Amino acid sequence: MEEQLSGSWKKIWKDIRRILISHREKELFHMNSLEYLKEEMRTKLDHIVSIKQLQHVYKKHVNISTEDLRNQILYENKRYASTFIGEEKDILSMIKKLILEDPYIAEDLRGMVLSDDPDPIFLQGELSHNVKGIWYGSNRKERQWIYGPVECNEFIICFGKQENGGKGWDIKSAYPVPKNYYPVLITSI
């Protein structure tokens, strides 16, 4: 196209191309910038308005009775089972707050999504003052009730890639744990 333009039009066309390329480079940089990643994360979390939207968390870890926790261990072949105890809105608020306040999670989630590695990412924090946690454990081989109830001080959020080929991340689980328990030890929850 430049060949067909003359004099000042060539200069104008070059300036337009330079501006367009510059704008596209800024756009690409912005998409990969930390601020963009954080905004993307905030937007996703804003769409979660009820703990019920985190179906696994709600069904397995929110205000679950001792009997149901025990049944998870005995009949679902779980080694551990735990529950948040508190108002649903407070539990959701606590989960969102930990995610939003972590300075590295946005980058970690982007790395997980772009990676071929299927491993989840874990984020651990302290329970809020208005949410309690109870944890039970067992000997998986004998399915015997061994530990519990143990009062929890902390909780873990487990993030994984979206299923069905999605290009994003999801909160796969969130559950209370006793102090000094690490995700690697409790991935069976």
Side-chain angles (χ1 to χ4, degrees), residues 83-98:
T83 187
F84 294 110
I85 300 169
E87 296 291 323
E88 291 176 10
K89 65 179 178 50
D90 295 334
I91 296 166
L92 181 60
S93 176
M94 177 187 69
I95 290 169
K96 285 181 168 184
K97 183 177 185 225
L98 179 63

Side-chain angles (χ1 to χ4, degrees), residues 2 26 31 49-50 73 85 97 100 114 129 136 140 156:
E2 268 184 64
K26 286 178 185 175
M31 285 174 51
V49 295
S50 166
I73 290 172
I85 300 169
K97 183 177 185 225
L100 292 171
L114 296 175
H129 70 282
Y136 291 90
R140 188 183 296 191
I156 289 175

Side-chain angles (χ1 to χ4, degrees), residues 106-169:
E107 290 176 275
D108 291 345
L109 291 172
R110 173 61 92 207
M112 178 190 67
V113 168
L114 296 175
S115 166
D116 291 336
D117 188 352
D119 289 342
I121 290 177
F122 296 94
L123 182 61
Q124 190 163 348
E126 293 184 9
L127 291 172
S128 63
H129 70 282
N130 52 353
V131 176
K132 304 294 180 223
I134 299 295
W135 177 92
Y136 291 90
S138 75
N139 175 329
R140 188 183 296 191
K141 289 181 183 175
E142 298 172 18
R143 289 192 174 177
Q144 292 176 345
W145 196 261
I146 295 177
Y147 318 106
V150 176
E151 190 172 319
C152 299
N153 310 72
E154 299 177 348
F155 72 104
I156 289 175
I157 303 170
C158 174
F159 300 92
K161 291 182 180 183
Q162 284 181 339
E163 295 176 7
N164 301 324
K167 295 289 183 194
W169 55 270

Side-chain angles (χ1 to χ4, degrees), residues 174-188:
Y175 44 85
V177 294
K179 194 160 190 75
N180 298 324
Y181 268 79
Y182 299 98
V184 122
L185 301 175
I186 53 175
T187 56
S188 64

